[in-house]
Amino acid sequence: MSSWFAPVYFEDHTFGQLSKWIAEYDPSIIYLLVDENTHEHCAPLILRALDIPQRIELIEIPAGEEQKTIDIAIHIWSALTELNTDRKALMINVGGGVICDLGGFVAACFKRGIAYVNVPTTLLAMVDAAHGSKTGVDFEGLKNQIGLFNPPKATFVHDGFCQTLSKREFTAGFAECVKHALIADKELWHAFLLNGQPDPDLIGHYIEPSIEIKKQVVESDPLEEGRRKILNFGHTVGHAIESFFLEHAVTPLLHGEAVAMGLIAELYISSRTCGLSEAELLIATDYIKAVFPIYRIPERNFDALIRLMEQDKKNDGGLINFTLISEPGTSIVNFNTDEITLIESLAFINQHANQPTVEFKPSGSSATSI
Protein backbone atom coordinates (compact mmCIF):
# COMPACT_ATOMS: atom_id res chain seq x y z
CA MET A 1 0.00 0.00 0.00
CA SER A 2 1.24 3.49 -0.83
CA SER A 3 2.17 5.54 2.23
CA TRP A 4 0.10 8.38 0.79
CA PHE A 5 -3.08 6.43 1.59
CA ALA A 6 -2.92 5.43 5.23
CA PRO A 7 -4.14 2.06 6.48
CA VAL A 8 -7.86 2.07 7.22
CA TYR A 9 -9.26 0.19 10.21
CA PHE A 10 -13.00 -0.41 10.51
CA GLU A 11 -13.87 -0.13 14.20
CA ASP A 12 -16.76 -1.09 16.43
CA HIS A 13 -17.65 0.78 19.61
CA THR A 14 -14.70 -0.73 21.50
CA PHE A 15 -12.04 0.94 19.34
CA GLY A 16 -9.79 -2.03 20.06
CA GLN A 17 -7.69 -1.51 16.94
CA LEU A 18 -6.98 2.11 17.88
CA SER A 19 -5.85 1.05 21.37
CA LYS A 20 -3.59 -1.62 19.89
CA TRP A 21 -2.15 0.81 17.34
CA ILE A 22 -1.37 3.41 20.03
CA ALA A 23 0.31 0.76 22.20
CA GLU A 24 2.60 -0.17 19.30
CA TYR A 25 3.38 3.44 18.37
CA ASP A 26 3.95 4.43 22.03
CA PRO A 27 3.57 8.21 21.83
CA SER A 28 4.80 10.52 24.59
CA ILE A 29 1.40 12.22 24.92
CA ILE A 30 -1.92 12.14 23.04
CA TYR A 31 -4.00 15.10 21.93
CA LEU A 32 -7.63 14.68 20.89
CA LEU A 33 -8.56 17.52 18.56
CA VAL A 34 -12.35 17.97 18.70
CA ASP A 35 -15.06 20.54 18.12
CA GLU A 36 -17.93 21.08 20.54
CA ASN A 37 -20.09 18.48 18.76
CA THR A 38 -17.51 15.68 18.68
CA HIS A 39 -16.45 16.57 22.21
CA GLU A 40 -19.99 15.80 23.37
CA HIS A 41 -21.02 12.93 21.10
CA CYS A 42 -17.84 11.09 20.04
CA ALA A 43 -14.85 11.77 22.29
CA PRO A 44 -16.43 10.10 25.38
CA LEU A 45 -16.76 6.79 23.51
CA ILE A 46 -13.13 6.93 22.44
CA LEU A 47 -11.85 7.95 25.87
CA ARG A 48 -13.79 5.12 27.55
CA ALA A 49 -12.48 2.62 25.03
CA LEU A 50 -8.80 3.54 25.10
CA ASP A 51 -6.80 1.27 27.40
CA ILE A 52 -3.49 3.12 27.36
CA PRO A 53 -1.06 4.59 29.92
CA GLN A 54 -0.37 7.85 28.08
CA ARG A 55 -1.71 11.20 29.21
CA ILE A 56 -4.54 12.47 27.01
CA GLU A 57 -5.29 16.17 26.49
CA LEU A 58 -8.35 17.53 24.68
CA ILE A 59 -8.08 20.55 22.41
CA GLU A 60 -11.49 21.90 21.43
CA ILE A 61 -12.32 24.39 18.67
CA PRO A 62 -15.73 25.70 17.57
CA ALA A 63 -17.54 23.70 14.87
CA GLY A 64 -17.90 24.89 11.30
CA GLU A 65 -16.01 25.57 8.09
CA GLU A 66 -15.39 29.15 9.20
CA GLN A 67 -12.98 27.74 11.83
CA LYS A 68 -10.66 26.21 9.21
CA THR A 69 -8.27 29.17 9.26
CA ILE A 70 -4.65 29.97 9.98
CA ASP A 71 -5.78 31.81 13.14
CA ILE A 72 -7.29 28.62 14.57
CA ALA A 73 -4.13 26.72 13.58
CA ILE A 74 -2.09 29.27 15.54
CA HIS A 75 -4.39 28.77 18.53
CA ILE A 76 -3.71 25.02 18.45
CA TRP A 77 0.06 25.49 17.98
CA SER A 78 0.04 27.80 21.01
CA ALA A 79 -1.70 25.12 23.08
CA LEU A 80 0.83 22.50 21.99
CA THR A 81 3.69 24.84 22.85
CA GLU A 82 2.30 25.67 26.29
CA LEU A 83 2.09 21.94 27.03
CA ASN A 84 5.76 21.42 26.07
CA THR A 85 4.82 19.03 23.29
CA ASP A 86 7.69 17.00 21.83
CA ARG A 87 7.95 15.33 18.41
CA LYS A 88 6.86 11.93 19.77
CA ALA A 89 3.39 13.29 20.51
CA LEU A 90 0.33 11.94 18.69
CA MET A 91 -2.67 13.99 17.55
CA ILE A 92 -5.98 12.17 17.09
CA ASN A 93 -8.35 14.18 14.89
CA VAL A 94 -11.89 13.35 16.03
CA GLY A 95 -14.32 15.06 13.70
CA GLY A 96 -15.43 15.83 10.19
CA GLY A 97 -13.63 17.34 7.25
CA VAL A 98 -12.67 20.55 9.05
CA ILE A 99 -11.03 18.71 11.95
CA CYS A 100 -9.26 16.22 9.65
CA ASP A 101 -7.94 18.91 7.27
CA LEU A 102 -6.98 21.35 9.99
CA GLY A 103 -5.54 18.76 12.38
CA GLY A 104 -3.39 17.21 9.67
CA PHE A 105 -2.07 20.66 8.71
CA VAL A 106 -1.31 21.58 12.32
CA ALA A 107 0.48 18.28 12.91
CA ALA A 108 2.55 18.64 9.73
CA CYS A 109 3.87 22.07 10.68
CA PHE A 110 4.43 21.75 14.42
CA LYS A 111 8.14 21.13 15.04
CA ARG A 112 8.34 20.08 11.37
CA GLY A 113 5.90 17.26 11.97
CA ILE A 114 4.26 15.19 14.67
CA ALA A 115 2.26 12.04 13.98
CA TYR A 116 -1.50 12.10 13.63
CA VAL A 117 -4.36 9.70 12.98
CA ASN A 118 -7.90 10.45 11.86
CA VAL A 119 -11.10 9.25 13.51
CA PRO A 120 -13.74 10.63 11.12
CA THR A 121 -17.12 11.25 12.69
CA THR A 122 -19.13 12.50 9.70
CA LEU A 123 -20.06 10.52 6.63
CA LEU A 124 -18.22 13.03 4.45
CA ALA A 125 -15.01 12.54 6.42
CA MET A 126 -15.41 8.75 6.53
CA VAL A 127 -15.53 8.42 2.75
CA ASP A 128 -13.40 11.37 1.68
CA ALA A 129 -11.78 14.01 3.89
CA ALA A 130 -10.03 11.62 6.29
CA HIS A 131 -8.17 9.87 3.47
CA GLY A 132 -5.63 10.81 0.84
CA SER A 133 -3.13 13.00 2.75
CA LYS A 134 -4.52 16.43 1.79
CA THR A 135 -4.44 18.88 4.68
CA GLY A 136 -4.92 22.63 4.87
CA VAL A 137 -6.88 25.72 5.80
CA ASP A 138 -9.05 28.19 3.93
CA PHE A 139 -7.53 31.59 3.17
CA GLU A 140 -9.07 34.90 2.09
CA GLY A 141 -12.38 33.22 1.29
CA LEU A 142 -10.85 30.44 -0.83
CA LYS A 143 -11.17 26.76 0.04
CA ASN A 144 -8.00 24.89 1.08
CA GLN A 145 -5.78 27.64 -0.31
CA ILE A 146 -2.96 26.96 2.19
CA GLY A 147 -1.93 23.37 2.85
CA LEU A 148 0.23 20.41 2.02
CA PHE A 149 0.16 16.68 1.47
CA ASN A 150 0.75 15.04 4.86
CA PRO A 151 -0.51 11.47 5.32
CA PRO A 152 -1.90 10.30 8.65
CA LYS A 153 -0.38 7.23 10.22
CA ALA A 154 -3.78 5.51 10.06
CA THR A 155 -7.51 6.17 9.85
CA PHE A 156 -10.07 4.52 12.12
CA VAL A 157 -13.64 4.41 10.78
CA HIS A 158 -16.62 3.71 13.04
CA ASP A 159 -19.83 4.01 11.03
CA GLY A 160 -21.82 4.12 14.28
CA PHE A 161 -20.92 7.80 14.48
CA CYS A 162 -23.34 8.39 11.59
CA GLN A 163 -26.11 7.90 14.16
CA THR A 164 -24.94 11.07 15.94
CA LEU A 165 -25.40 13.23 12.82
CA SER A 166 -28.37 15.40 11.99
CA LYS A 167 -30.28 14.39 8.87
CA ARG A 168 -28.83 17.44 7.11
CA GLU A 169 -25.22 16.58 7.99
CA PHE A 170 -25.65 12.91 7.10
CA THR A 171 -27.28 13.65 3.75
CA ALA A 172 -24.64 16.23 2.85
CA GLY A 173 -21.89 13.68 3.41
CA PHE A 174 -23.52 11.32 0.95
CA ALA A 175 -22.62 13.75 -1.87
CA GLU A 176 -19.06 12.43 -1.84
CA CYS A 177 -20.35 8.85 -2.20
CA VAL A 178 -22.39 9.97 -5.22
CA LYS A 179 -19.32 11.67 -6.69
CA HIS A 180 -17.19 8.53 -6.26
CA ALA A 181 -19.80 6.41 -8.01
CA LEU A 182 -20.20 8.85 -10.91
CA ILE A 183 -16.47 9.11 -11.59
CA ALA A 184 -15.44 5.49 -11.18
CA ASP A 185 -18.11 2.87 -10.45
CA LYS A 186 -21.18 2.51 -12.66
CA GLU A 187 -22.49 -0.43 -10.61
CA LEU A 188 -22.36 1.57 -7.39
CA TRP A 189 -24.13 4.43 -9.16
CA HIS A 190 -26.90 2.09 -10.28
CA ALA A 191 -27.21 0.82 -6.70
CA PHE A 192 -27.76 4.39 -5.52
CA LEU A 193 -30.42 4.93 -8.19
CA LEU A 194 -32.15 1.73 -7.13
CA ASN A 195 -32.11 2.42 -3.38
CA GLY A 196 -32.95 6.11 -3.38
CA GLN A 197 -32.41 8.08 -0.18
CA PRO A 198 -29.40 7.02 1.92
CA ASP A 199 -30.20 5.28 5.21
CA PRO A 200 -27.92 5.79 8.27
CA ASP A 201 -28.64 2.21 9.35
CA LEU A 202 -27.39 0.80 6.03
CA ILE A 203 -24.66 3.27 5.15
CA GLY A 204 -21.91 0.85 6.17
CA HIS A 205 -22.54 -0.99 2.90
CA TYR A 206 -21.50 2.11 0.95
CA ILE A 207 -18.65 3.47 3.08
CA GLU A 208 -16.13 0.74 2.28
CA PRO A 209 -16.59 0.76 -1.54
CA SER A 210 -16.44 4.54 -1.54
CA ILE A 211 -13.18 4.49 0.41
CA GLU A 212 -11.84 1.83 -1.96
CA ILE A 213 -12.49 4.07 -4.96
CA LYS A 214 -10.56 6.92 -3.37
CA LYS A 215 -7.76 4.54 -2.32
CA GLN A 216 -7.26 3.24 -5.85
CA VAL A 217 -7.23 6.75 -7.30
CA VAL A 218 -4.85 8.20 -4.71
CA GLU A 219 -2.41 5.31 -4.92
CA SER A 220 -2.23 5.71 -8.70
CA ASP A 221 -1.47 9.45 -8.43
CA PRO A 222 -0.72 10.55 -4.85
CA LEU A 223 0.25 14.17 -5.61
CA GLU A 224 -2.61 14.91 -8.04
CA GLU A 225 -0.54 15.17 -11.20
CA GLY A 226 -3.03 13.27 -13.35
CA ARG A 227 -5.67 10.67 -12.48
CA ARG A 228 -6.29 11.89 -8.93
CA LYS A 229 -7.91 14.97 -10.44
CA ILE A 230 -11.01 12.86 -11.13
CA LEU A 231 -11.82 13.29 -7.42
CA ASN A 232 -12.49 16.97 -8.18
CA PHE A 233 -15.71 16.25 -10.10
CA GLY A 234 -18.37 18.67 -8.84
CA HIS A 235 -15.82 20.60 -6.81
CA THR A 236 -14.77 23.41 -9.18
CA VAL A 237 -18.30 24.83 -9.15
CA GLY A 238 -19.03 23.37 -5.72
CA HIS A 239 -16.12 25.05 -3.96
CA ALA A 240 -17.03 28.40 -5.50
CA ILE A 241 -20.62 28.05 -4.27
CA GLU A 242 -19.45 26.96 -0.81
CA SER A 243 -16.99 29.87 -0.50
CA PHE A 244 -19.55 32.39 -1.74
CA PHE A 245 -22.23 31.24 0.71
CA LEU A 246 -19.73 31.05 3.57
CA GLU A 247 -18.82 34.69 3.00
CA HIS A 248 -22.28 36.13 2.27
CA ALA A 249 -25.13 33.87 3.41
CA VAL A 250 -26.75 34.04 6.84
CA THR A 251 -26.68 30.23 6.90
CA PRO A 252 -23.70 28.82 4.98
CA LEU A 253 -24.04 25.63 2.99
CA LEU A 254 -22.41 22.43 4.14
CA HIS A 255 -19.60 21.20 1.91
CA GLY A 256 -21.65 18.28 0.59
CA GLU A 257 -24.61 20.52 -0.21
CA ALA A 258 -22.38 22.77 -2.31
CA VAL A 259 -20.82 19.73 -3.99
CA ALA A 260 -24.28 18.40 -4.90
CA MET A 261 -25.02 21.69 -6.66
CA GLY A 262 -21.59 21.54 -8.28
CA LEU A 263 -22.30 18.03 -9.53
CA ILE A 264 -25.44 19.24 -11.31
CA ALA A 265 -23.51 22.07 -12.99
CA GLU A 266 -20.62 19.85 -14.03
CA LEU A 267 -22.95 17.13 -15.27
CA TYR A 268 -24.44 19.79 -17.52
CA ILE A 269 -20.99 20.83 -18.77
CA SER A 270 -20.20 17.14 -19.36
CA SER A 271 -23.31 16.81 -21.52
CA ARG A 272 -22.38 19.81 -23.64
CA THR A 273 -18.68 19.05 -24.07
CA CYS A 274 -17.80 15.43 -23.25
CA GLY A 275 -20.60 13.33 -24.71
CA LEU A 276 -22.63 12.60 -21.59
CA SER A 277 -26.04 11.71 -22.96
CA GLU A 278 -29.08 13.87 -22.29
CA ALA A 279 -30.78 10.85 -20.72
CA GLU A 280 -27.90 10.25 -18.28
CA LEU A 281 -27.78 13.97 -17.49
CA LEU A 282 -31.44 14.04 -16.53
CA ILE A 283 -31.33 10.75 -14.61
CA ALA A 284 -28.39 11.98 -12.52
CA THR A 285 -29.85 15.44 -12.01
CA ASP A 286 -33.24 14.06 -10.97
CA TYR A 287 -31.56 11.75 -8.45
CA ILE A 288 -29.36 14.49 -6.96
CA LYS A 289 -32.23 16.94 -6.53
CA ALA A 290 -34.35 14.19 -4.95
CA VAL A 291 -31.67 13.58 -2.30
CA PHE A 292 -30.05 16.98 -1.71
CA PRO A 293 -31.26 20.56 -1.24
CA ILE A 294 -30.54 22.55 -4.41
CA TYR A 295 -30.66 26.32 -3.92
CA ARG A 296 -31.46 28.83 -6.63
CA ILE A 297 -28.64 31.28 -7.45
CA PRO A 298 -29.84 34.57 -8.98
CA GLU A 299 -28.08 35.55 -12.18
CA ARG A 300 -26.60 38.65 -10.54
CA ASN A 301 -24.29 36.34 -8.58
CA PHE A 302 -23.03 34.28 -11.53
CA ASP A 303 -20.09 36.58 -12.22
CA ALA A 304 -18.92 36.43 -8.59
CA LEU A 305 -19.00 32.63 -8.70
CA ILE A 306 -16.99 32.54 -11.93
CA ARG A 307 -14.40 34.88 -10.41
CA LEU A 308 -14.06 32.44 -7.48
CA MET A 309 -13.62 29.55 -9.91
CA GLU A 310 -10.80 31.49 -11.56
CA GLN A 311 -8.95 31.31 -8.21
CA ASP A 312 -9.32 27.52 -7.93
CA LYS A 313 -5.97 25.91 -7.10
CA LYS A 314 -6.52 23.23 -9.77
CA ASN A 315 -6.43 25.78 -12.61
CA ASP A 316 -3.59 25.88 -15.12
CA GLY A 317 -2.49 28.59 -17.51
CA GLY A 318 -5.24 30.96 -16.45
CA LEU A 319 -7.98 28.53 -17.50
CA ILE A 320 -10.63 27.07 -15.20
CA ASN A 321 -9.88 23.36 -14.95
CA PHE A 322 -12.69 20.79 -14.75
CA THR A 323 -13.05 17.08 -14.23
CA LEU A 324 -16.01 15.84 -16.28
CA ILE A 325 -17.60 12.50 -17.19
CA SER A 326 -18.55 11.01 -20.54
CA GLU A 327 -20.81 8.45 -18.83
CA PRO A 328 -21.26 7.30 -15.23
CA GLY A 329 -18.01 5.61 -14.22
CA THR A 330 -15.84 7.24 -16.90
CA SER A 331 -13.98 10.48 -16.12
CA ILE A 332 -12.05 13.06 -18.13
CA VAL A 333 -9.55 15.38 -16.41
CA ASN A 334 -8.02 18.73 -17.38
CA PHE A 335 -11.00 19.95 -19.35
CA ASN A 336 -11.65 23.63 -20.01
CA THR A 337 -14.90 25.15 -21.22
CA ASP A 338 -16.06 28.55 -22.40
CA GLU A 339 -17.76 31.08 -20.14
CA ILE A 340 -21.07 30.79 -21.97
CA THR A 341 -21.30 27.07 -21.14
CA LEU A 342 -20.28 27.81 -17.57
CA ILE A 343 -23.06 30.40 -17.22
CA GLU A 344 -25.50 27.92 -18.73
CA SER A 345 -24.44 25.34 -16.13
CA LEU A 346 -25.28 27.75 -13.31
CA ALA A 347 -28.63 28.46 -14.94
CA PHE A 348 -29.16 24.68 -15.13
CA ILE A 349 -28.80 24.53 -11.34
CA ASN A 350 -31.57 27.10 -11.10
CA GLN A 351 -33.82 25.12 -13.43
CA HIS A 352 -33.60 22.18 -11.02
CA ALA A 353 -33.56 24.04 -7.71
CA ASN A 354 -35.84 22.61 -5.05
CA GLN A 355 -35.13 25.26 -2.40
CA PRO A 356 -35.82 29.00 -2.24
CA THR A 357 -33.14 31.63 -2.30
CA VAL A 358 -30.97 31.99 0.79
CA GLU A 359 -30.82 35.18 2.82
CA PHE A 360 -27.61 37.19 2.65
CA LYS A 361 -25.97 38.83 5.63
CA PRO A 362 -27.03 42.46 6.00
CA SER A 363 -25.27 44.88 3.71
CA GLY A 364 -25.60 48.41 4.98
CA SER A 365 -29.04 48.73 6.52
CA SER A 366 -30.85 45.99 4.63
CA ALA A 367 -30.47 42.29 3.95
CA THR A 368 -30.20 40.88 0.47
CA SER A 369 -31.14 37.43 -0.76
CA ILE A 370 -29.45 34.79 -2.84
Side-chain angles (χ1 to χ4, degrees), residues 265-295:
E266 294 180 31
L267 283 162
Y268 176 86
I269 298 171
S270 297
S271 74
R272 295 301 177 262
T273 59
C274 294
L276 181 69
S277 73
E278 194 74 13
E280 291 286 9
L281 168 66
L282 295 177
I283 289 170
T285 300
D286 286 346
Y287 176 78
I288 292 168
K289 72 181 185 183
V291 173
F292 303 98
I294 307 299
Y295 294 90

Side-chain angles (χ1 to χ4, degrees), residues 10-54:
F10 293 94
E11 290 276 21
D12 59 20
H13 68 282
T14 66
F15 277 91
Q17 295 178 98
L18 177 59
S19 290
K20 180 180 178 183
W21 188 94
I22 291 172
E24 292 175 354
Y25 184 73
D26 193 25
S28 57
I29 187 171
I30 294 171
Y31 295 99
L32 258 64
L33 180 63
V34 298
D35 62 28
E36 66 261 34
N37 296 323
T38 58
H39 190 174
E40 178 182 356
H41 297 294
C42 305
L45 175 61
I46 296 171
L47 291 170
R48 285 195 300 269
L50 290 182
D51 181 19
I52 54 174
Q54 286 88 354

Side-chain angles (χ1 to χ4, degrees), residues 3-296:
S3 62
W4 291 101
F5 199 97
V8 179
Y9 299 90
F10 293 94
E11 290 276 21
D12 59 20
H13 68 282
T14 66
F15 277 91
Q17 295 178 98
L18 177 59
S19 290
K20 180 180 178 183
W21 188 94
I22 291 172
E24 292 175 354
Y25 184 73
D26 193 25
S28 57
I29 187 171
I30 294 171
Y31 295 99
L32 258 64
L33 180 63
V34 298
D35 62 28
E36 66 261 34
N37 296 323
T38 58
H39 190 174
E40 178 182 356
H41 297 294
C42 305
L45 175 61
I46 296 171
L47 291 170
R48 285 195 300 269
L50 290 182
D51 181 19
I52 54 174
Q54 286 88 354
R55 184 165 120 244
I56 301 175
E57 297 280 354
L58 265 72
I59 299 176
E60 180 180 330
I61 66 171
E65 181 72 25
E66 60 271 21
Q67 308 305 323
K68 202 170 83 172
T69 67
I70 197 72
D71 289 335
I72 295 295
I74 290 170
H75 165 76
I76 300 170
W77 288 323
S78 295
L80 296 177
T81 300
E82 289 172 8
L83 290 164
N84 297 316
T85 304
D86 62 31
R87 294 183 68 184
K88 197 62 166 56
L90 173 68
M91 180 169 288
I92 303 179
N93 298 324
V94 183
V98 171
I99 290 288
C100 292
D101 285 358
L102 176 66
F105 177 71
V106 165
C109 298
F110 188 77
K111 295 191 174 179
R112 296 197 178 98
I114 61 173
Y116 78 98
V117 300
N118 286 329
V119 181
T121 61
T122 65
L123 178 56
L124 183 145
M126 290 177 196
V127 300
D128 188 61
H131 313 281
S133 306
K134 285 185 177 180
T135 72
V137 295
D138 303 339
F139 185 68
E140 294 190 350
L142 299 171
K143 285 277 295 180
N144 303 318
Q145 190 78 342
I146 308 295
L148 69 163
F149 290 92
N150 177 42
K153 294 293 185 182
T155 300
F156 299 86
V157 177
H158 173 47
D159 63 28
F161 283 143
C162 286
Q163 303 292 336
T164 71
L165 302 175
S166 67
K167 184 176 187 299
R168 182 189 180 199
E169 187 84 43
F170 173 77
T171 302
F174 190 64
E176 294 289 355
C177 298
V178 171
K179 177 202 74 177
H180 285 148
L182 283 170
I183 61 173
D185 193 331
K186 184 183 287 190
E187 290 186 9
L188 184 60
W189 170 240
H190 287 162
F192 291 163
L193 292 177
L194 181 64
N195 292 317
Q197 290 280 348
D199 183 342
D201 293 328
L202 303 175
I203 197 62
H205 298 299
Y206 294 140
I207 290 175
E208 192 164 353
S210 197
I211 293 173
E212 183 62 25
I213 289 169
K214 184 159 187 178
K215 173 177 178 289
Q216 291 177 5
V217 172
V218 170
E219 289 187 335
S220 70
D221 176 28
L223 299 181
E224 201 172 49
E225 296 170 332
R227 176 170 167 74
R228 182 168 178 167
K229 294 178 182 179
I230 71 173
L231 296 171
N232 295 322
F233 185 53
H235 283 62
T236 300
V237 176
H239 274 167
I241 291 172
E242 182 180 6
S243 296
F244 189 76
F245 276 57
L246 185 64
E247 178 72 18
H248 298 291
V250 172
T251 303
L253 298 188
L254 298 176
H255 174 73
E257 293 169 339
V259 167
M261 293 172 68
L263 287 172
I264 287 179
E266 294 180 31
L267 283 162
Y268 176 86
I269 298 171
S270 297
S271 74
R272 295 301 177 262
T273 59
C274 294
L276 181 69
S277 73
E278 194 74 13
E280 291 286 9
L281 168 66
L282 295 177
I283 289 170
T285 300
D286 286 346
Y287 176 78
I288 292 168
K289 72 181 185 183
V291 173
F292 303 98
I294 307 299
Y295 294 90
R296 186 178 179 278

Side-chain angles (χ1 to χ4, degrees), residues 310-329:
E310 291 173 345
Q311 292 292 325
D312 194 289
K313 60 188 176 299
K314 300 180 292 295
N315 293 344
D316 185 24
L319 299 173
I320 301 173
N321 205 327
F322 288 93
T323 291
L324 303 173
I325 64 171
S326 58
E327 63 176 341

